[in-house]
Amino acid sequence: MATLLFKDVNKVYPNGYHAVHDFNMEIKDGEFICLVGDSGCGKSTTLRMIAGLEDITAGEFYIDGKLANQMSARERGIAMVFQSYALYPHLTVYENLAFGLTLEGIDADVIEEKVQATAKILGLTDYLERFPRALSGGQCQRVAVGRALIRKVNIFLMDEPLSNLDAKQRVTMRSEIKQIHRSVGATTIYVTHDQTEAMTMSDRIVVMKSGGYVQQIGTPYELYFYPQNLFVAGFIGEPPMNFVRGTVENGKVAACGLNADIRPIVKDAAAVEGKKVVFAFRPEAIKLAHEIDKTQKYYEITSKVELTELLGDTTNVYAVVGCGEEKVNIILKVNPHYTPAMGEEFKFYIPQSAAYLFDAETEQIIENEVVRH
Ligand code: ADP
């Protein structure tokens, strides 16, 4: 078991590229943390600094309260699973699982016991004599996880471990990894660019942006309902949150695109007067006229439907709000039984509790006292 602490950790590569800026975080014992963000935002670099595969340029990194900047990879008690599996092709599953233990000179009896126990957890018992080439992608991934698991480490690091699998296998492995985490309890740091993976697996998520800047750290619930800035708001959620730019005039969001009476709920109304803002709402948060709950307040918006996509449980409606140059494309999720026709003028309602307002310049959320529900 292990706690991790990062204090102003930075990475500058020898060519001068500053890949991670002031990473600060405390990770509790047994937490499952996902680092998420687009390609190149510094996720793998952060993971490699934890593993001891990259030097930390500045800042302090602690494992269980001990400064670990200079600790060797071995001393850190870490196992890492890579995207490429890194299995030995000429060894059987049994030998792949046993490899690290054999090198450490552990007794064959003990190895046998550990391999069998690990294979059982991962459903590999019937495949122990097979070579990697005779396994599916999902089974190879299980062997890779098994090799990390068998070493009884305190910290598990995983770098995009599911990206070589097809969509169905990914969903299966996602829940398997969660179950393994629950039974083993090792502190786990998991890198992915896939927000669904991050949302479904994590205790907490670290959202990173290109240049190696942490945007927000929080539970999946916090990131989805309480994003702190435009980047996180747009990154978490599929389809992404809708953004409409405007200016606050006389307490209302004036945006040609909105054609609606929008009086934002903010803590300090005077402070936002005249400000350029981004009014935002999620595609799935909107209601249709017959779904309105009289106890709530809504913003009514008129849009024009351009395209609809029936997905089965829901219909994605691609619509436009606004006029002239200021037309804004938005996406709405509606009940498929009430799908509007293409070209139709379409009214929808945003609960005030589901609307967000961001400062267009700083891109930060404008404080309010709205409880999301
Ligand atoms: P991610 O895992 O989020 O895709 P990485 O941590 O791999 O991102 O890389 C972050 C940035 O650092 C990228 O722009 C990448 O090109 C750069 N980078 C990675 N390794 C090196 C290196 N050895 N030397 C210089 N730049 C590097």
Side-chain angles (χ1 to χ4, degrees):
M1 302 292 161
T3 59
L4 306 182
L5 176 64
F6 302 84
K7 281 191 180 168
D8 294 328
V9 167
N10 281 267
K11 175 67 187 177
V12 181
Y13 279 110
N15 67 356
Y17 186 76
H18 199 154
V20 175
H21 284 81
D22 295 339
F23 192 98
N24 281 296
M25 186 176 187
E26 195 170 350
I27 298 178
K28 292 194 273 296
D29 191 18
E31 260 194 302
F32 196 113
I33 301 288
C34 275
L35 306 183
V36 70
D38 294 328
S39 178
C41 70
K43 306 179 295 292
S44 297
T45 302
T46 306
L47 203 70
R48 292 169 63 79
M49 287 193 286
I50 300 172
L53 301 172
E54 286 292 348
D55 288 338
I56 294 168
T57 313
E60 289 160 11
F61 168 55
Y62 296 86
I63 300 177
D64 283 334
K66 277 193 221 114
L67 190 64
N69 290 42
Q70 306 298 336
M71 257 185 212
S72 69
R74 211 180 169 73
E75 282 175 281
R76 295 181 192 211
I78 280 172
M80 191 152 170
V81 179
F82 296 94
Q83 177 180 348
S84 58
Y85 315 143
L87 301 183
Y88 298 109
H90 58 289
L91 300 183
T92 62
V93 170
Y94 187 102
E95 290 161 343
N96 265 286
L97 290 174
F99 190 78
L101 304 180
T102 312
L103 277 190
E104 286 174 30
I106 292 174
D107 274 1
D109 290 355
V110 178
I111 293 180
E112 166 75 17
E113 199 180 298
K114 288 190 176 205
V115 168
Q116 293 296 348
T118 306
K120 195 165 167 213
I121 294 174
L122 293 164
L124 290 168
T125 309
D126 295 339
Y127 303 92
L128 288 172
E129 298 314 316
R130 287 205 192 173
F131 288 93
R133 63 176 176 276
L135 299 177
S136 70
Q139 289 162 338
C140 284
Q141 190 50 267
R142 262 178 239 158
V143 180
V145 171
R147 281 203 321 193
L149 202 61
I150 206 164
R151 290 186 39 222
K152 281 262 175 288
V153 294
N154 297 328
I155 306 166
F156 245 138
L157 304 181
M158 301 197 184
D159 196 351
E160 304 255 6
L162 308 186
S163 55
N164 289 337
L165 305 182
D166 65 36
K168 212 168 152 197
Q169 286 176 324
R170 275 209 298 274
V171 174
T172 313
M173 275 309 283
R174 220 156 67 191
S175 57
E176 284 187 16
I177 289 178
K178 273 305 284 178
Q179 274 168 14
I180 292 167
H181 175 252
R182 219 168 287 142
S183 61
V184 175
T187 309
T188 303
I189 325 282
Y190 185 106
V191 161
T192 178
H193 63 275
D194 179 343
Q195 53 130 339
T196 312
E197 246 169 67
M199 289 294 279
T200 51
M201 299 177 84
S202 316
D203 293 317
R204 285 189 300 155
I205 300 173
V206 180
V207 181
M208 296 178 74
K209 186 178 174 181
S210 61
Y213 296 96
V214 172
Q215 295 294 296
Q216 189 171 346
I217 300 175
T219 62
Y221 185 92
E222 285 163 348
L223 296 187
Y224 181 85
F225 288 104
Y226 297 93
Q228 290 303 300
N229 53 52
L230 273 181
F231 184 84
V232 175
F235 192 85
I236 302 286
E238 182 54 40
M241 200 184 263
N242 293 300
F243 295 143
V244 184
R245 288 173 187 275
T247 309
V248 180
E249 288 170 10
N250 304 318
K252 286 168 60 170
V253 177
C256 179
L258 279 176
N259 180 23
D261 185 15
I262 300 207
R263 293 170 190 280
I265 305 168
V266 292
K267 256 188 185 162
D268 184 354
V272 295
E273 189 58 35
K275 239 187 208 318
K276 285 195 168 34
V277 293
V278 179
F279 176 74
F281 57 96
R282 293 204 181 276
E284 57 275 28
I286 62 120
K287 302 285 178 209
L288 305 185
H290 71 278
E291 296 171 319
I292 281 183
D293 162 3
K294 295 276 182 318
T295 62
Q296 284 220 47
K297 290 194 171 143
Y298 296 86
Y299 299 121
E300 180 187 287
I301 313 255
T302 306
S303 68
K304 188 160 185 238
V305 178
E306 294 213 312
L307 184 76
T308 62
E309 262 176 9
L310 172 69
L311 300 176
D313 60 336
T314 178
T315 295
N316 285 344
V317 175
Y318 295 81
V320 222
V321 289
C323 48
E325 294 280 288
E326 293 188 61
K327 275 204 175 100
V328 180
N329 294 308
I330 57 168
I331 306 178
L332 311 170
K333 273 184 169 246
V334 302
N335 180 327
H337 300 297
Y338 299 95
T339 300
M342 293 192 216
E344 190 182 315
E345 189 165 278
F346 177 63
K347 276 195 172 36
F348 64 91
Y349 300 83
I350 306 167
Q352 288 190 353
S353 61
Y356 298 81
L357 198 68
F358 296 91
D359 184 319
E361 271 154 34
T362 63
E363 302 198 343
Q364 299 299 305
I365 188 98
I366 295 176
E367 291 271 328
N368 59 44
E369 271 145 6
V370 174
V371 177
R372 310 284 174 194
H373 54 80

